[in-house]
Amino acid sequence: MTAGGPVVTLASLRATPNALAPSYARFGVDGPRLLLTGHSHQAWPDVAREGVVAAFDDAAALADEKWERAFAAADAVRAGFRRWLDDAHADLALGASTHELVVRLLSALDLRARPRIVTTGGEFHTLRRQLARLSETGLVDVVRVDPAPVDTLAERLRAAVDDRTAAVFVSAVLFESGAVVPGLDGLSRACARVGTELVVDAYHALGPTRFSVGALGLDTAWVVGGGYKYLQLGEGNCFLRVPPHARTHRPAITGWYAEFGALAERQDGELVAYSAGGAARFAGATYDPTSHYRAARVVTFFAERGLTPDLLPAVYRHQVGRLAAAFDALDLPETAVARDRTVPPDRVGGFLALHTPHAAELQAALARTGVLTDSRGDVLRLGPAPYLSDAQLDAAAGVLGETVAERILS
């Protein structure tokens, strides 16, 4: 037993009541509402509220002297991310969103000498939109590789890389399908050979999969991600892993925190000064530290309850597999709703993607019954979370079957 409650096991999370549910009382995860938005906005444990209150109390008591404690909270968040990256010495810049971090990264590339960027057609909107807009300006030539089939995606990205390619952007887990992208190690080696930067989006990988920078061969890669989804850290908690070779990069989009290590030095006015370290060069500017206070409490809670990089992937494999089996048992017409059976369950991240031309309609109808999901185009996504029991997952699948029968098949 710990201060936060007993250490959990897969069996205790499958049970009714779920062993974690009492720690999420404010989100009411034990019903009647069923939160299957785990791939987007998970519930926060009640201790997260303590972090929010502590941020206010420190500001009230210390005013501008609060920053020492705020930076300590930020360091705790970095330590938490290093654990999920399995990279004890990862050099991490923090940001409120992956977008601001990716923009700083892009601004550090020599796009005049290498005006080509290779990516996939399945990247999250942050990158999809930003690269599309840059392409419109003529600053870069963006090459998009079809994400399907996922088994050959890394190989096809490698084939698209040449000595004019500044960077390759790819997700470790595709946000629409949930498919894990294999072969990133070979892609990393291919990029290194021609001096191309590899940027891996790990947002949908951290938690549902065992993500290890070293084991995946990503030591020379940039890794971007955050804790808003599966790590329950809430908004404002994103990171950029800066690889060792980028310690002298000079991003053109730069905040004044990036010269913290050089503030005491005389500025000659010729070159903008940067901190000596790599990630420090990608720092932003004054920010709201409340997100880090909240996240630091959640990091501690996960450690206390045994929600580790070993346990959580097993939990998600079980939960997604349970949802898939329950969906298959409904035996619904594939013309109404179907799932991709070409990707085995152990190669899927933290949610079940269902393909249907009625995705938005089903999402809205399910929400009216208290089953919260989300949809993207023709994909309805069911995202479990460790605080949900097997019985709740089965119940949600049952409601889905009833909803399809009533609204689509009748």
Side-chain angles (χ1 to χ4, degrees):
M1 180 77 71
T2 70
V7 172
V8 299
T9 64
L10 178 56
S12 71
L13 298 181
R14 295 180 58 181
T16 301
N18 175 290
L20 277 179
S23 296
Y24 296 78
R26 289 184 174 273
F27 272 77
V29 301
D30 54 355
R33 182 178 66 171
L34 294 179
L35 291 174
L36 286 179
T37 56
H39 53 285
S40 178
H41 191 315
Q42 290 204 5
W44 303 339
D46 294 338
V47 296
R49 187 172 184 272
E50 297 175 6
V52 175
V53 173
F56 183 94
D57 288 347
D58 280 355
L62 302 173
D64 201 40
E65 298 301 315
K66 71 184 180 188
W67 288 106
E68 182 177 351
R69 295 188 185 182
F71 292 157
D75 285 340
V77 175
R78 288 189 182 90
F81 282 134
R82 289 185 183 111
R83 190 180 188 197
W84 292 100
L85 293 169
D86 191 27
D87 188 358
H89 303 292
D91 197 12
L92 302 179
L94 300 182
S97 68
T98 56
H99 178 257
E100 67 173 78
L101 294 167
V102 166
V103 167
R104 290 179 212 156
L105 189 165
L106 285 167
S107 77
L109 303 178
D110 187 355
L111 296 176
R112 290 190 181 89
R114 288 174 171 255
R116 196 166 186 262
I117 290 177
V118 174
T119 186
T120 84
E123 297 307 301
F124 188 67
H125 308 304
T126 291
L127 191 65
R128 172 194 59 78
R129 176 181 170 82
Q130 188 61 73
L131 291 185
R133 183 65 185 95
L134 287 175
S135 180
E136 288 178 351
T137 68
L139 289 174
V140 294
D141 175 24
V142 178
V143 177
R144 294 177 181 82
V145 175
D146 193 326
V150 70
D151 284 345
T152 63
L153 177 54
E155 179 182 346
R156 288 180 286 116
L157 287 169
R158 289 202 311 266
V161 173
D162 59 21
D163 58 8
R164 297 176 63 252
T165 305
V168 173
F169 288 84
V170 61
S171 292
V173 173
L174 298 174
F175 91 100
E176 288 183 311
S177 67
V180 175
V181 178
L184 294 179
D185 53 346
L187 177 59
S188 181
R189 290 192 297 271
C191 287
R193 280 196 295 271
V194 295
T196 295
E197 305 290 358
L198 174 60
V199 187
V200 177
D201 183 344
Y203 220 136
H204 278 281
L206 300 187
T209 71
R210 191 68 171 92
F211 190 95
S212 172
V213 167
L216 291 171
L218 300 178
D219 298 274
T220 61
W222 306 72
V223 182
V224 66
Y228 178 52
K229 301 179 188 293
Y230 305 95
L231 303 184
Q232 301 174 13
L233 305 184
E235 301 91 338
N237 288 291
C238 293
F239 70 87
L240 174 68
R241 176 192 182 267
V242 178
H245 69 266
R247 292 186 60 84
T248 59
H249 277 43
R250 304 180 73 249
I253 307 299
T254 183
W256 73 277
Y257 274 29
E259 65 176 20
F260 260 3
L263 283 176
E265 300 175 8
R266 182 183 180 89
Q267 305 297 313
D268 59 17
E270 295 180 4
L271 288 176
V272 172
Y274 288 84
S275 298
R281 291 170 169 250
F282 291 83
T286 308
Y287 64 100
D288 180 358
T290 304
S291 58
H292 291 162
Y293 276 80
R294 181 184 63 232
R297 293 295 178 95
V298 177
V299 167
T300 299
F301 172 81
F302 267 43
E304 290 175 341
R305 301 304 299 273
L307 297 170
T308 67
D310 291 318
L311 177 67
L312 273 189
V315 172
Y316 282 105
R317 280 197 303 273
H318 166 74
Q319 291 187 321
V320 173
R322 182 99 183 186
L323 284 171
F327 171 78
D328 290 348
L330 297 174
D331 196 25
L332 298 170
E334 292 198 353
T335 53
V337 58
R339 72 178 182 89
D340 183 359
R341 291 177 172 82
T342 64
V343 180
D346 62 350
R347 293 278 303 283
V348 174
F351 61 92
L352 181 67
L354 301 177
H355 298 268
T356 170
H358 314 285
E361 179 184 355
L362 287 175
Q363 179 195 357
L366 287 169
R368 287 192 289 272
T369 71
V371 178
L372 303 188
T373 62
D374 96 325
S375 63
R376 291 287 190 274
D378 65 352
V379 178
L380 178 71
R381 303 191 300 177
L382 310 183
Y387 43 73
L388 296 177
S389 68
D390 280 4
Q392 289 175 298
L393 300 180
D394 294 344
V399 174
L400 172 64
E402 294 169 1
T403 304
V404 172
E406 292 172 1
R407 302 193 65 86
I408 308 302
L409 302 180
S410 60

